[in-house]
């Protein structure tokens, strides 16, 4: 269930840069102006330069790549934590990842060529 909710969250997060792009003319300038009047005023020129959609696209991409790296690095030293187990854990299906690491003792490989 949590994996499905994580997918829903990912897809709504992924749609936000597109929405920000479509609303760029009415969103970027007021957002930069509000930053200019707050304690985060040094970031206002960055938002003006990158635009709101560009900034959200950079942040979304970096969060996706960070999640991939953290899952790969935190494999717990398990030798057979590859292929389906690693992919399942990355997607938020922890129980499925545990199944693959517990039930499949050998290294997981793709189909063998005859």
């Amino acid at each position: 269930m949590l994996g499905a909710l994580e997918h829903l969250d990912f897809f709504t997060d992924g749609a936000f840069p597109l929405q920000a792009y479509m609303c760029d003319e009415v969103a970027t300038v007021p957002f930069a102006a509000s930053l200019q009047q707050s304690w985060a005023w040094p970031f206002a020129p960055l938002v003006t330069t990158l635009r709101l959609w560009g900034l959200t696209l950079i942040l979304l991409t970096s969060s996706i790549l960070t999640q991939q790296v953290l899952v790969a690095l935190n494999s717990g030293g398990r030798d057979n934590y590859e292929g389906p187990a690693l992919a399942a854990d990355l997607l938020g299906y922890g129980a499925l990842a545990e199944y693959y690491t517990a039930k499949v003792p050998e290294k997981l490989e793709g189909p063998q060529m005859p």
Side-chain angles (χ1 to χ4, degrees):
M1 181 66 178
L2 289 177
L5 292 175
E6 178 64 26
H7 277 75
L8 178 63
D9 179 52
F10 174 75
F11 291 128
T12 56
D13 291 347
F16 186 74
L18 298 174
Q19 184 66 34
Y21 177 78
M22 296 302 294
C23 299
D24 184 54
E25 294 302 318
V26 296
T28 298
V29 173
F31 182 58
S34 68
L35 284 178
Q36 187 68 36
Q37 297 172 5
S38 72
W39 61 268
W41 64 267
F43 296 107
L46 181 68
V47 171
T48 304
T49 302
L50 293 177
R51 311 303 291 177
L52 182 60
W53 68 269
L55 188 61
T56 58
L57 188 62
I58 290 169
L59 292 173
L60 178 66
T61 303
S62 64
S63 69
I64 291 170
L65 294 176
T66 301
Q67 182 180 7
Q68 299 243 350
V69 168
L70 289 176
V71 168
L73 291 177
N74 291 323
S75 62
R78 295 173 279 191
D79 291 335
N80 61 341
Y81 197 67
E82 295 179 355
L86 185 60
D89 198 18
L90 178 63
L91 295 174
Y93 298 125
L96 187 59
E98 288 300 319
Y99 167 80
Y100 278 112
T101 56
K103 299 289 184 186
V104 184
E106 69 275 354
K107 194 179 238 188
L108 299 170
E109 297 179 10
Q112 299 296 320
M113 299 299 287

